[in-house]
């Protein structure tokens, strides 16, 4: 009997309103920079994919927030460079300070409509809830701003653990915060590789929250067994 549910954060509980490109564009406009939001969004995701995982093994916990800031600043700068407008900024560091702070508020995010009903149902059933995410330390402020924080007894993030999903180390770190074994935990997340495969390979039960109805080639599954992938389009079905 599953006693604990681990949930991913961005893409599972909440997501960006519109697109990252639109949020970036709006603030960039206030700094006198004109850019196409779709081009900027494409540049952001390519920059994000090309970056190393956001984890800083062996680094002091006190230095993590600054390392996170620098990691995101590099991703953001690269996105504007790919969009061909980086040189329009007269003061990019000032712009980025505002942008970074903006994403620690509720304004750029929305909570998926199936989230609160599911969290309330599970909480009433006595299931312990926790967040396991590759987000940065702004997650604490975001969860609070979105009225989600009260549902979770623990939050485990890649930057504090020093390992990012699908690395099993982050799941192990989360398990240590709860009085249970891996087989009594269900992890739910929107990334097939990071959440589903990562959790399964760490010995947890897992459900792929396939909100975008992505198709995967079953012949390329990176799992320790060949069982059918458990997936649902929303939390309503879990």
């Amino acid at each position: 009997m599953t006693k604990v549910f681990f949930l991913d954060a961005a893409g599972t509980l909440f997501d960006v309103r519109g697109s990252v490109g639109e949020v970036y564009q709006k603030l960039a406009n206030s700094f006198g920079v004109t850019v196409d939001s779709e081009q900027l969004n494409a540049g952001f995701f390519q920059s994000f994919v090309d970056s190393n995982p956001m984890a800083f093994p062996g680094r002091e916990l006190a230095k993590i927030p600054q390392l996170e800031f620098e990691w995101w600043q590099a991703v953001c700068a690269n996105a504007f460079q790919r969009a061909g407008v980086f040189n329009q900024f007269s003061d990019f560091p000032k712009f980025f300070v505002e942008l970074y702070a903006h994403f620690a508020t509720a304004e750029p995010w929305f909570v998926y409509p199936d989230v609160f009903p599911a969290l309330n149902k599970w909480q009433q059933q006595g299931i312990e809830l926790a967040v396991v995410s590759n987000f940065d330390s702004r997650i604490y402020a975001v969860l609070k701003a979105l009225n989600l924080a009260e549902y979770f007894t623990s939050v485990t993030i890649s930057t504090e653990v020093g390992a990012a999903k699908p690395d099993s180390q982050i799941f192990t770190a989360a398990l240590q915060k709860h009085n249970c074994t891996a087989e009594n935990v269900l992890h739910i997340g929107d990334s097939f590789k990071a959440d589903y495969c990562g959790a399964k390979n760490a010995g947890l039960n897992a459900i792929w929250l396939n909100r975008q109805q992505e198709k995967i080639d079953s012949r390329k599954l990176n799992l320790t067994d060949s069982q059918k992938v458990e997936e649902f389009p929303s939390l309503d079905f879990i």
Side-chain angles (χ1 to χ4, degrees):
M1 178 67 179
T2 300
K3 297 183 296 183
V4 182
F5 282 6
F6 288 172
L7 290 106
D8 174 52
T12 297
L13 298 173
F14 57 85
D15 216 330
V16 176
R17 293 183 186 275
S19 72
V20 173
E22 289 171 9
V23 178
Y24 279 23
Q25 178 200 50
K26 184 177 179 179
L27 188 57
N29 286 346
S30 70
F31 278 76
V33 176
T34 303
V35 60
D36 178 76
S37 64
E38 291 185 8
Q39 188 176 7
L40 185 54
N41 198 56
F44 165 77
F45 279 103
Q46 191 58 55
S47 176
F48 185 86
V49 169
D50 290 347
S51 299
N52 292 323
M54 190 168 47
F56 313 105
R59 305 304 292 269
E60 295 176 29
L61 200 59
K63 295 181 179 179
I64 296 301
Q66 181 60 32
L67 292 171
E68 293 171 341
F69 181 89
E70 293 169 358
W71 190 94
W72 278 112
Q73 187 172 35
V75 169
C76 182
N78 188 257
F80 280 98
Q81 288 165 354
R82 288 175 181 273
V85 298
F86 182 80
N87 290 335
Q88 288 186 31
F89 284 100
S90 59
D91 191 344
F92 181 80
K94 182 179 179 181
F95 160 78
F96 184 73
V97 166
E98 289 195 23
L99 182 72
Y100 195 73
H102 182 65
F103 275 94
T105 70
E107 189 173 344
W109 307 104
F110 73 92
V111 178
Y112 285 103
D114 57 346
V115 169
F116 284 115
L119 295 180
N120 285 318
K121 177 182 70 175
W122 296 333
Q123 200 171 59
Q124 290 166 7
Q125 293 172 345
I127 296 171
E128 205 167 304
L129 303 173
V131 169
V132 180
S133 172
N134 288 349
F135 213 90
D136 55 71
S137 55
R138 289 175 296 175
I139 187 69
Y140 302 105
V142 172
L143 289 173
K144 187 174 181 179
L146 296 176
N147 298 315
L148 291 167
E150 65 188 62
Y151 289 96
F152 301 101
T153 57
S154 77
V155 175
T156 304
I157 55 175
S158 59
T159 55
E160 293 176 352
V161 173
K165 295 180 293 184
D167 192 313
S168 62
Q169 187 178 337
I170 189 171
F171 294 103
T172 299
L175 281 171
Q176 291 172 350
K177 300 176 182 180
H178 298 266
N179 186 28
C180 63
T181 55
E183 59 266 25
N184 285 327
V185 176
L186 172 67
H187 178 73
I188 304 167
D190 70 300
S191 169
F192 177 73
K193 179 180 179 181
D195 292 302
Y196 188 81
C197 295
K200 294 289 285 186
N201 289 336
L204 284 69
N205 299 296
I207 287 176
W208 179 27
L209 186 62
N210 190 4
R211 292 193 182 280
Q212 307 305 320
Q213 292 298 281
E214 299 174 49
K215 300 297 182 182
I216 55 172
D217 187 343
S218 60
R219 295 170 297 179
K220 297 180 180 180
L221 299 186
N222 182 31
L223 297 172
T224 54
D225 56 50
S226 58
Q227 69 182 45
K228 181 181 178 181
V229 173
E230 293 185 73
E231 63 173 294
F232 294 100
S234 78
L235 297 177
D236 299 326
F237 296 93
I238 302 173

